[in-house]
């Protein structure tokens, strides 16, 4: 199975909004509403930020939101803060009853 | 509070079998959810290795399927990973995690280096 496609890097200034895309196929992202997003700081385990495309786990800031259109899912972070600087990964369930991650996106807060 | 903790050798020789265990506390594995293994080579992205459902059904990454076995021991509330015929390309931080529609609880990760 191929990894989902994410931009290698994105950047934004404090207070701005950024969007990270995650492109798959009709066999994964486009076929199921089981897309999730993870934040990973250096040396730490990933943290679930969004599941089921747009749902936030308890305790995750409402500055984080998710959406999907066709085979592409998106993570939007509004009111960018220095602490948001991290790597972000998307993941999706697939038609083969497997899970696949994206290649990851490095977010830099300028 | 659900907690997961990986354990196992940090150094494995090429061609041998990598074996890791994930001990779960705060939740009974047999109660539900999928229990999975994910790895991350140094400086690279996340790769799903495979998962086991609480019922015992297993699901593996097709690219690793021939070398991977995941099992569960409900009496000890833990699950395990075996990856055979390892090479340097299998050097990574290995995470265990609970998941259903998202991987919601993760272990801290354990670095496994494949080297002679």
């Amino acid at each position: 199975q191929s990894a989902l496609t994410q931009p290698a890097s994105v950047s934004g200034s404090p207070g701005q909004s950024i969007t990270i895309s995650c492109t798959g196929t009709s066999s994964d992202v486009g076929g199921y509403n089981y897309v999730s997003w993870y934040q990973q700081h250096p040396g730490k385990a990933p943290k679930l930020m969004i599941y089921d495309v747009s749902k936030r786990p308890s305790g995750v800031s409402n500055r984080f939101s998710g959406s999907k259109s066709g085979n592409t899912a998106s993570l939007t972070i509004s009111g960018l803060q220095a602490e948001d600087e991290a790597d972000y990964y998307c993941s999706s369930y697939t038609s083969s009853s497997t899970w696949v991650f994206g290649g990851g996106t490095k977010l830099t807060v300028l | 509070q659900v907690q997961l903790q990986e354990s196992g050798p940090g150094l494995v020789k090429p061609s041998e079998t990598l074996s890791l265990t994930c001990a779960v506390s705060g939740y009974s594995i047999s109660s539900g959810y999928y229990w999975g293994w994910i790895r991350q080579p140094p400086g690279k992205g996340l790769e799903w290795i495979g998962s086991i459902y609480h019922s015992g059904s297993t699901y593996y990454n097709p690219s690793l399927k021939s070398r991977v076995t995941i099992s569960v021991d409900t009496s000890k509330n833990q699950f395990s990973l075996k990856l055979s015929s390892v090479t340097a390309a299998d050097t990574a931080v290995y995470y265990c995690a609970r998941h259903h529609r998202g991987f919601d609880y993760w272990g801290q990760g354990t670095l496994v280096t494949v080297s002679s």
Side-chain angles (χ1 to χ4, degrees):
Chain A
Q1 60 190 20
S2 299
L4 306 175
T5 300
Q6 298 181 232
S9 63
V10 298
S11 62
S13 299
Q16 289 186 331
S17 294
I18 63 94
T19 297
I20 300 171
S21 61
C22 170
T23 301
T25 69
S26 58
S27 296
D28 39 61
V29 174
Y32 304 90
N33 287 325
Y34 293 155
V35 176
S36 50
W37 289 91
Y38 304 85
Q39 177 190 66
Q40 186 181 36
H41 287 111
K44 300 294 186 182
K47 174 186 177 183
L48 178 65
M49 306 302 284
I50 296 287
Y51 68 98
D52 287 359
V53 175
S54 60
K55 297 178 181 177
R56 276 188 312 275
S58 175
V60 172
S61 170
N62 60 8
R63 297 186 299 105
F64 292 83
S65 61
S67 63
K68 189 183 83 167
S69 177
N71 296 337
T72 299
S74 298
L75 171 72
T76 298
I77 308 174
S78 60
L80 210 54
Q81 299 179 359
E83 67 211 48
D84 298 332
E85 184 163 294
D87 293 327
Y88 290 85
Y89 295 90
C90 61
S91 178
S92 175
Y93 179 70
T94 84
S95 60
S96 300
S97 298
T98 62
W99 284 263
V100 62
F101 284 94
T105 298
K106 181 177 180 60
L107 169 61
T108 300
V109 180
L110 302 170
Chain B
Q1 175 74 340
V2 180
Q3 293 184 318
L4 294 86
Q5 178 69 57
E6 305 90 351
S7 62
L11 181 63
V12 181
K13 289 182 168 57
S15 80
E16 295 190 343
T17 296
L18 178 160
S19 296
L20 296 174
T21 296
C22 181
V24 180
S25 59
Y27 189 87
S28 172
I29 286 180
S30 57
S31 293
Y33 285 91
Y34 295 88
W35 303 89
W37 290 96
I38 303 96
R39 69 180 182 180
Q40 185 171 35
K44 296 187 178 181
L46 301 171
E47 179 181 34
W48 174 75
I49 300 170
S51 299
I52 188 164
Y53 195 45
H54 67 94
S55 62
S57 299
T58 52
Y59 307 85
Y60 298 132
N61 186 323
S63 68
L64 299 169
K65 188 173 184 176
S66 64
R67 299 194 291 131
V68 174
T69 301
I70 295 175
S71 59
V72 64
D73 185 339
T74 53
S75 67
K76 295 182 178 179
N77 212 38
Q78 63 187 32
F79 61 106
S80 300
L81 167 70
K82 291 188 184 298
L83 180 65
S84 64
S85 304
V86 297
T87 69
D90 295 310
T91 293
V93 174
Y94 285 75
Y95 294 100
C96 58
R98 186 185 84 164
H99 70 104
H100 178 40
R101 288 154 10 219
F103 293 79
D104 57 356
Y105 288 96
W106 296 67
Q108 64 186 25
T110 186
L111 175 62
V112 179
T113 301
V114 178
S115 175
S116 56

